[in-house]
Amino acid sequence: MSLDALILTSLRAAGDGAVSGAQLSQELGVTRAAIWARIEDLRSLGYDIEASPHRGYRLLNAPDVLHADDLISRLGATQVIGRDIRVFQETTSTNDVIEKLARDGVKEGAVVFAESQTKGRGRLGRGWMSPAKRGLWFSVLLRPDLRPQEATRLTVASATALRRAIELQTGLKPEIKWPNDILIGGSKVAGILTELSAELDRVKYLILGIGVNVNLNPGDFPAELRKLATSLKAELGQPVSRPELAVAILRELDHDYARIDPGQFAALADEWEEHGATIGREVVIRTGDRQIRGRAESLGEDGELLLRTVHGHLERITGGDVALEK
Ligand code: BTN
């Protein structure tokens, strides 16, 4: 951990109490002057840190910015996800940045956030609007030991984790639309773009690109999206802390990444189905030029959608777009 992350961790551990410069300097093995310099720097980033000559330092408030050291200090220890966190002010797409890291051999669990994206992309070749400081736009690098056809399990894991984190942080009750759209009241609040690099029988790396509309106002959405999309702020009537939500999502992702093993996947799929807006519904699936109509019955053992077509056949759907009929 960097010195900033260690300082923020100590200040948070003290809760409402203060930590003296002497204590920090002793714990972290640097001079009190070095601690003071870092505190000043954190203050310039918007961290409200009280400094009292008698009591020491106290963290009063953290800004709604994404700062790698802060995210690392809030997250604490995880199994895999978030071991390496990087934040960019602006990128084309965080999936592009993480893909480059993947090709450079960076370990799985690395996460790249951007405050804004100039070429954010969604599923099926669509764009993804990513205005500065209004949402969470980030990508996670994974190197799962899976065959390509089993990778849909990660789609299921990431959707359950994202849904749960949103509920834990906001109290809202999001639903999942297959494969991994997160909806509130039927409008989309978050989406996941899974990109894969694979050999015939082995996934080399997998990128989860996650976009959450956190503090967008209805007017931030272009007119054509206003009926289809929403934000947590719009649903809750008040802004949501992006760093707190970011860390909650990483924690839940780390938890659910461990549940993609065959022995645990059934429970994960049950959780997905319990909060799904798709199972039991009449749907139309569009994949390429094909359109399949039927009833969504359940998730298959690798997270594919099992669809009973109007002709009575059971189809395994692994991609495409789902429209809910009734
Ligand atoms: C979808 O629902 O169509 C998926 C949207 C995924 C958007 C995120 S934002 C962070 C990451 N970078 C991108 O370019 N896309 C994903």
Side-chain angles (χ1 to χ4, degrees):
M1 265 200 218
S2 70
L3 190 51
D4 284 10
L6 291 168
I7 291 174
L8 287 168
T9 303
S10 295
L11 294 182
R12 284 214 168 87
D16 285 343
V19 192
S20 72
Q23 190 184 334
L24 282 173
S25 132
Q26 198 185 13
E27 269 176 18
L28 308 180
V30 295
T31 63
R32 287 170 67 167
I35 299 283
W36 172 243
R38 297 318 311 147
I39 295 272
E40 281 290 272
D41 218 54
L42 287 167
R43 281 172 154 179
S44 73
L45 291 170
Y47 291 84
D48 189 359
I49 301 173
E50 182 188 73
S52 136
H54 302 300
R55 292 167 17 98
Y57 300 111
R58 205 152 65 100
L59 179 62
L60 301 179
N61 224 329
D64 191 56
V65 294
L66 300 177
H67 177 39
D69 290 322
D70 186 22
L71 296 173
I72 289 167
S73 112
R74 287 173 190 262
L75 183 60
T78 52
Q79 296 294 319
V80 175
I81 292 171
R83 297 191 284 209
D84 171 349
I85 298 182
R86 309 181 192 199
V87 177
F88 291 77
Q89 287 311 304
E90 185 176 279
T91 56
T92 49
S93 155
T94 52
N95 274 33
D96 294 341
V97 178
I98 210 119
E99 180 164 23
K100 182 162 185 324
L101 296 182
R103 281 194 259 108
D104 290 348
V106 164
K107 275 217 242 165
E108 74 165 346
V111 185
V112 168
F113 287 88
E115 286 288 19
S116 75
Q117 300 183 113
T118 52
K119 287 194 184 135
R121 49 181 192 270
R123 292 181 62 239
L124 308 170
R126 300 185 184 122
W128 183 266
M129 59 172 293
S130 327
K133 301 198 162 101
R134 296 283 169 95
L136 290 175
W137 328 122
F138 67 102
S139 303
V140 180
L141 170 62
L142 296 173
R143 298 183 185 278
D145 184 15
L146 292 178
R147 290 176 293 135
Q149 58 272 35
E150 294 166 332
T152 337
R153 285 191 218 157
L154 269 159
T155 308
V156 174
S158 52
T160 50
L162 181 54
R163 193 212 65 79
R164 212 168 46 241
I166 292 175
E167 180 173 355
L168 284 170
Q169 275 316 112
T170 64
L172 293 165
K173 303 271 179 221
E175 288 187 311
I176 308 168
K177 187 175 85 130
W178 194 87
N180 48 13
D181 283 355
I182 307 294
L183 311 181
I184 298 180
S187 299
K188 181 155 165 174
V189 76
I192 305 170
L193 173 68
T194 310
E195 292 181 327
L196 192 68
S197 168
E199 288 163 9
L200 259 185
D201 58 350
R202 192 181 69 93
V203 170
K204 285 205 282 189
Y205 59 83
L206 184 143
I207 296 171
L208 293 177
I210 300 183
V212 188
N213 299 331
V214 184
N215 291 328
L216 283 87
N217 296 315
D220 292 330
F221 293 103
E224 68 275 15
L225 283 185
R226 239 167 261 165
K227 281 217 177 87
L228 305 172
T230 188
S231 73
L232 297 177
K233 181 182 170 190
E235 296 299 321
L236 211 58
Q238 63 184 62
V240 171
S241 158
R242 292 180 311 131
E244 273 176 27
L245 179 63
V247 165
I249 297 172
L250 296 184
R251 221 172 259 140
E252 297 307 316
L253 278 174
D254 192 58
H255 179 260
D256 281 4
Y257 186 41
R259 298 170 77 197
I260 62 168
D261 286 345
Q264 295 189 57
F265 186 72
L268 190 67
D270 284 350
E271 184 180 336
W272 189 100
E273 288 186 13
E274 190 188 328
H275 299 283
T278 313
I279 303 301
R281 303 276 299 265
E282 302 295 325
V283 298
V284 182
I285 317 265
R286 289 187 189 85
T287 50
D289 302 343
R290 244 180 119 205
Q291 188 161 306
I292 317 166
R293 200 172 286 271
R295 186 180 170 82
E297 283 207 340
S298 61
L299 287 185
E301 59 185 19
D302 289 326
E304 69 279 28
L305 185 67
L306 301 182
L307 184 82
R308 182 73 57 187
T309 68
V310 284
H311 308 293
H313 308 302
L314 198 61
E315 290 242 8
R316 291 176 178 272
I317 311 288
T318 54
D321 212 14
V322 173
L324 304 173
E325 291 259 277
K326 49 185 167 180

